[in-house]
PDB file of all heavy atoms in Angstrom:
ATOM      1  N   PHE B   6     -16.730  28.921  30.664  1.00 97.00           N
ATOM      2  CA  PHE B   6     -17.478  29.700  29.655  1.00 97.00           C
ATOM      3  C   PHE B   6     -18.898  29.337  29.618  1.00 97.00           C
ATOM      4  O   PHE B   6     -19.794  30.107  29.085  1.00 97.00           O
ATOM      5  CB  PHE B   6     -16.883  29.596  28.192  1.00 97.00           C
ATOM      6  CG  PHE B   6     -16.772  28.178  27.733  1.00 97.00           C
ATOM      7  CD1 PHE B   6     -17.682  27.659  26.912  1.00 97.00           C
ATOM      8  CD2 PHE B   6     -15.687  27.470  28.000  1.00 97.00           C
ATOM      9  CE1 PHE B   6     -17.587  26.295  26.419  1.00 97.00           C
ATOM     10  CE2 PHE B   6     -15.578  26.117  27.565  1.00 97.00           C
ATOM     11  CZ  PHE B   6     -16.492  25.594  26.737  1.00 97.00           C
ATOM     12  N   ILE B   7     -19.362  28.212  29.997  1.00 98.00           N
ATOM     13  CA  ILE B   7     -20.836  27.811  30.047  1.00 98.00           C
ATOM     14  C   ILE B   7     -21.414  28.611  31.144  1.00 98.00           C
ATOM     15  O   ILE B   7     -21.073  28.559  32.336  1.00 98.00           O
ATOM     16  CB  ILE B   7     -21.012  26.282  30.197  1.00 98.00           C
ATOM     17  CG1 ILE B   7     -20.380  25.476  29.036  1.00 98.00           C
ATOM     18  CG2 ILE B   7     -22.532  25.997  30.418  1.00 98.00           C
ATOM     19  CD1 ILE B   7     -21.162  25.607  27.774  1.00 98.00           C
ATOM     20  N   VAL B   8     -22.531  29.378  30.830  1.00 98.00           N
ATOM     21  CA  VAL B   8     -23.272  30.192  31.738  1.00 98.00           C
ATOM     22  C   VAL B   8     -24.349  29.310  32.330  1.00 98.00           C
ATOM     23  O   VAL B   8     -25.297  28.967  31.685  1.00 98.00           O
ATOM     24  CB  VAL B   8     -23.818  31.447  31.069  1.00 98.00           C
ATOM     25  CG1 VAL B   8     -24.645  32.262  32.067  1.00 98.00           C
ATOM     26  CG2 VAL B   8     -22.732  32.240  30.448  1.00 98.00           C
ATOM     27  N   ARG B   9     -24.194  28.987  33.596  1.00 97.00           N
ATOM     28  CA  ARG B   9     -25.087  27.965  34.173  1.00 97.00           C
ATOM     29  C   ARG B   9     -26.508  28.287  34.149  1.00 97.00           C
ATOM     30  O   ARG B   9     -27.372  27.488  33.850  1.00 97.00           O
ATOM     31  CB  ARG B   9     -24.621  27.708  35.672  1.00 97.00           C
ATOM     32  CG  ARG B   9     -23.154  27.273  35.684  1.00 97.00           C
ATOM     33  CD  ARG B   9     -22.624  26.900  36.991  1.00 97.00           C
ATOM     34  NE  ARG B   9     -21.401  26.017  36.723  1.00 97.00           N
ATOM     35  CZ  ARG B   9     -21.229  24.870  37.379  1.00 97.00           C
ATOM     36  NH1 ARG B   9     -22.050  24.535  38.343  1.00 97.00           N
ATOM     37  NH2 ARG B   9     -20.292  24.131  37.129  1.00 97.00           N
ATOM     38  N   GLU B  10     -26.812  29.558  34.400  1.00 97.00           N
ATOM     39  CA  GLU B  10     -28.258  29.996  34.506  1.00 97.00           C
ATOM     40  C   GLU B  10     -28.846  29.956  33.160  1.00 97.00           C
ATOM     41  O   GLU B  10     -30.075  30.142  32.964  1.00 97.00           O
ATOM     42  CB  GLU B  10     -28.339  31.449  35.123  1.00 97.00           C
ATOM     43  CG  GLU B  10     -27.798  31.584  36.478  1.00 97.00           C
ATOM     44  CD  GLU B  10     -26.221  31.548  36.508  1.00 97.00           C
ATOM     45  OE1 GLU B  10     -25.643  31.866  35.500  1.00 97.00           O
ATOM     46  OE2 GLU B  10     -25.656  31.109  37.541  1.00 97.00           O
ATOM     47  N   ALA B  11     -28.006  29.908  32.093  1.00 98.00           N
ATOM     48  CA  ALA B  11     -28.503  30.057  30.652  1.00 98.00           C
ATOM     49  C   ALA B  11     -28.803  28.678  30.051  1.00 98.00           C
ATOM     50  O   ALA B  11     -29.249  28.563  28.896  1.00 98.00           O
ATOM     51  CB  ALA B  11     -27.611  30.879  29.837  1.00 98.00           C
ATOM     52  N   ILE B  12     -28.483  27.544  30.823  1.00 98.00           N
ATOM     53  CA  ILE B  12     -28.748  26.290  30.234  1.00 98.00           C
ATOM     54  C   ILE B  12     -30.208  25.978  30.170  1.00 98.00           C
ATOM     55  O   ILE B  12     -31.038  26.315  31.101  1.00 98.00           O
ATOM     56  CB  ILE B  12     -28.082  25.160  31.111  1.00 98.00           C
ATOM     57  CG1 ILE B  12     -26.546  25.250  31.002  1.00 98.00           C
ATOM     58  CG2 ILE B  12     -28.595  23.750  30.886  1.00 98.00           C
ATOM     59  CD1 ILE B  12     -25.812  24.364  31.962  1.00 98.00           C
ATOM     60  N   VAL B  13     -30.620  25.397  29.022  1.00 98.00           N
ATOM     61  CA  VAL B  13     -32.067  25.212  28.723  1.00 98.00           C
ATOM     62  C   VAL B  13     -32.330  23.665  28.562  1.00 98.00           C
ATOM     63  O   VAL B  13     -32.062  23.119  27.520  1.00 98.00           O
ATOM     64  CB  VAL B  13     -32.541  25.939  27.431  1.00 98.00           C
ATOM     65  CG1 VAL B  13     -34.102  25.680  27.283  1.00 98.00           C
ATOM     66  CG2 VAL B  13     -32.190  27.346  27.469  1.00 98.00           C
ATOM     67  N   PRO B  14     -32.702  22.956  29.572  1.00 97.00           N
ATOM     68  CA  PRO B  14     -32.790  21.554  29.678  1.00 97.00           C
ATOM     69  C   PRO B  14     -33.927  21.053  28.732  1.00 97.00           C
ATOM     70  O   PRO B  14     -33.935  19.920  28.302  1.00 97.00           O
ATOM     71  CB  PRO B  14     -32.978  21.131  31.112  1.00 97.00           C
ATOM     72  CG  PRO B  14     -33.445  22.319  31.798  1.00 97.00           C
ATOM     73  CD  PRO B  14     -33.029  23.501  31.027  1.00 97.00           C
ATOM     74  N   LYS B  15     -34.987  21.850  28.555  1.00 97.00           N
ATOM     75  CA  LYS B  15     -36.042  21.409  27.623  1.00 97.00           C
ATOM     76  C   LYS B  15     -36.417  22.552  26.728  1.00 97.00           C
ATOM     77  O   LYS B  15     -37.191  23.494  27.036  1.00 97.00           O
ATOM     78  CB  LYS B  15     -37.265  21.063  28.491  1.00 97.00           C
ATOM     79  CG  LYS B  15     -37.073  19.677  29.075  1.00 97.00           C
ATOM     80  CD  LYS B  15     -38.292  19.272  29.895  1.00 97.00           C
ATOM     81  CE  LYS B  15     -38.053  17.956  30.658  1.00 97.00           C
ATOM     82  NZ  LYS B  15     -38.981  17.725  31.808  1.00 97.00           N
ATOM     83  N   LEU B  16     -35.766  22.525  25.515  1.00 98.00           N
ATOM     84  CA  LEU B  16     -36.007  23.572  24.560  1.00 98.00           C
ATOM     85  C   LEU B  16     -37.571  23.531  24.036  1.00 98.00           C
ATOM     86  O   LEU B  16     -38.014  22.436  23.948  1.00 98.00           O
ATOM     87  CB  LEU B  16     -35.154  23.394  23.310  1.00 98.00           C
ATOM     88  CG  LEU B  16     -33.616  23.748  23.585  1.00 98.00           C
ATOM     89  CD1 LEU B  16     -32.848  23.130  22.406  1.00 98.00           C
ATOM     90  CD2 LEU B  16     -33.481  25.220  23.557  1.00 98.00           C
TER      91      LEU B  16
END
Side-chain angles (χ1 to χ4, degrees):
Chain B
F6 58 94
I7 295 289
V8 179
R9 301 184 157 226
E10 301 75 27
I12 291 174
V13 183
K15 284 179 185 158
L16 288 162

